[in-house]
Amino acid sequence: MEFDVDYLVQQLPALRAGFLLTIQISAIAVVLSIAIGLVGASMRVLRVPVLAQLFAAYVEFIRNTPLLVQLFFVFFGLPALGLTLSLFWSGVLALTLWAGAFQTENVRGGLAAISPGLREAARALGLSRGQYLRLVGLPLAVRTGLPAMLNTCVSLVKNSAYVSAIGLRDLAGVAFDRIASDFRAFEMLAVLLVGYLALVLSLSFAVRVIEHHLQKPFRA
Amino acid sequence: MRIFRRSLAAGALLLGLAAGQAVAQQMPPLPQSIREHGVLRAGVRCDQPPYGFRGPDGGFAGVETEMARQMAAWAFGSADKIELQCVTAANRIPQLNARRVDLLIATLGVTPERARVIDFSNAYRWGGSDLLVRRDSPIRSLDDVRSRTVIMLSGTTQAAWFDANMPGLNSLRLNTASDALQALLQGRGEAYAHDAATLIVIAARDPNLRMVGEPFAVSDAAVGLRKNEPEWMAWINAALDRMKREGLYTAWLEKWVPAEIRPPYTAAFMDPRPAAR
């Protein structure tokens, strides 16, 4: 099977634009989903009256429906309800909502793993529930939950390829469109593999640096 | 006298047998690899009326689906000896080359890029492209879309045409005709470019939409086959010839195309291909 390097070089500008778009979408979705995770887990642990149930329902809904269906709902369904988002923000919203649910559970798991002794000590010292979360709970929960949160971020980056289904020209979108017209599947898929691998490895490396930094107070 | 009548009868019998043989030998032999499957595995469109779409009962429908069923009848003796598969513009050629289907009757336009990877039978019709816009749209000609967003399907002749003729165009590429129509109705693009044959049907159903009416990207449509299958190619060409000779297209068009919009489709099957941009 021949590998047409000239063809690949010709497509590089479009592929690079797609790669940048993938990074943009993934970065925004990662940040927003972690924010949702922190807020959601806090609401559930603090048992804030309406919000706790809302977040619980949100997590169940997202975890039990396919991402592709959620994406099409945001893209085609929301306009019918009066909210039309651009292609870009439809993609970001769908990915953020999806990852946000998993991050909520990741942080909640981290919070649950804190020993009851610490919680009692915090109460004995007079810390309010909010202060406990801010000073003790969340810092510990994030450290414990970091591997799971990284997992979700990696899944998010890989799943960002779904946005090609609504016409966004991210890396996958550009590659699939070119394959549909030019039939050079091998060249395009090779680029896809390398591109996503590079992204995920960079993400893992960045998280390892963060983990190292966060472990500083606990190292001898 | 009796001898004369007997020889006349014998002669008539012989002629009848010979004619019967000739009819049976109208089709070249079916290739062994196809015969082995026992059914005709054909890729057809499921989102492009009137050629290939989901009928009111949810089953396969359309003129091209009829063509496939007729081929199954001629190949295996019954129109039911068929396995129809939905294909999209983007995945039809990979499906064929991956041997999931043995032929494509899927609104496949003849282009040099595709001819590199598959073989085309003789053309059975031609088809042009057009633009579908909302009734109140200011778009009146093909050039009006230069500064606007055009919705089209990935891997179609329209996508290739716009890549070649309007490279800077903002195009929204989706995977199915239903997605594209939905996107047009929701205002995600100002025009939807696709085969005129499909757009006519859509425009006929929805009074809020109209066609721009400037045909472009006219190409022949042919059956798609894998490369290096000359026996199969010969059989397919013979089948297409026979369909034309026996006037089967007229019957199928009558079945699947409402009378008020039928003339352009009949022209596509019967008249020679016109020139356009």
Side-chain angles (χ1 to χ4, degrees), chain A residues 31-68:
Chain A
V31 168
L32 290 179
S33 63
I34 291 179
I36 291 179
L38 294 172
V39 169
S42 307
M43 292 299 115
R44 291 192 66 178
V45 163
L46 288 178
R47 297 195 217 187
V48 177
V50 171
L51 288 172
Q53 282 82 21
L54 217 63
F55 270 99
Y58 154 65
V59 168
E60 281 313 302
F61 177 76
I62 296 288
R63 288 205 305 194
N64 293 318
T65 50
L67 173 54
L68 194 59

Side-chain angles (χ1 to χ4, degrees), chain A residues 75-76 85 169 177-178 182, chain B residues 154 163 171 173 186 188:
Chain A
F75 186 62
F76 285 126
L85 293 168
R169 304 281 188 87
D177 185 55
R178 290 291 91 215
D182 302 333
Chain B
S154 217
D163 276 342
S171 67
R173 305 243 172 128
Q186 287 178 350
R188 296 200 180 273

Side-chain angles (χ1 to χ4, degrees), chain A residues 72 74-77 79-80 83-87 90 164-169 173 176-184, chain B residues 89-90 93-94 111 113-114 116-117 153-156 159-160 163 169 171-175 178-180 182-183 186 188:
Chain A
F72 271 66
V74 168
F75 186 62
F76 285 126
L83 175 63
T84 304
L85 293 168
S86 71
L87 233 62
S90 298
S164 59
I166 58 171
L168 261 174
R169 304 281 188 87
F176 292 145
D177 185 55
R178 290 291 91 215
I179 292 177
S181 292
D182 302 333
F183 311 110
R184 301 220 193 254
Chain B
I93 288 178
T111 71
E113 292 80 26
R114 293 172 184 165
R116 257 194 320 106
V117 289
L153 266 52
S154 217
T156 50
D163 276 342
L169 180 73
S171 67
L172 174 56
R173 305 243 172 128
L174 298 170
N175 286 326
S178 23
D179 287 347
Q182 181 82 307
Q186 287 178 350
R188 296 200 180 273

Side-chain angles (χ1 to χ4, degrees), chain A residues 85-99:
Chain A
L85 293 168
S86 71
L87 233 62
F88 179 84
W89 289 108
S90 298
V92 169
L93 178 63
L95 288 171
T96 300
L97 289 177
W98 177 83

Side-chain angles (χ1 to χ4, degrees), chain B residues 146-178:
Chain B
R146 270 181 202 278
S147 53
R148 302 185 148 94
T149 302
V150 181
I151 303 164
M152 59 190 80
L153 266 52
S154 217
T156 50
T157 42
Q158 291 82 28
W161 191 91
F162 280 103
D163 276 342
N165 293 286
M166 290 193 196
L169 180 73
N170 193 7
S171 67
L172 174 56
R173 305 243 172 128
L174 298 170
N175 286 326
T176 65
S178 23

Side-chain angles (χ1 to χ4, degrees), chain A residues 72 75-76, chain B residues 45-49 54 88 151-153 174-186 192 194 198 202 205:
Chain A
F72 271 66
F75 186 62
F76 285 126
Chain B
R45 296 302 295 265
C46 290
D47 61 347
Q48 279 204 266
R54 290 270 175 211
T88 66
I151 303 164
M152 59 190 80
L153 266 52
L174 298 170
N175 286 326
T176 65
S178 23
D179 287 347
L181 179 58
Q182 181 82 307
L184 177 71
L185 292 172
Q186 287 178 350
Y192 164 26
H194 207 176
T198 300
I202 297 175
R205 288 187 202 151

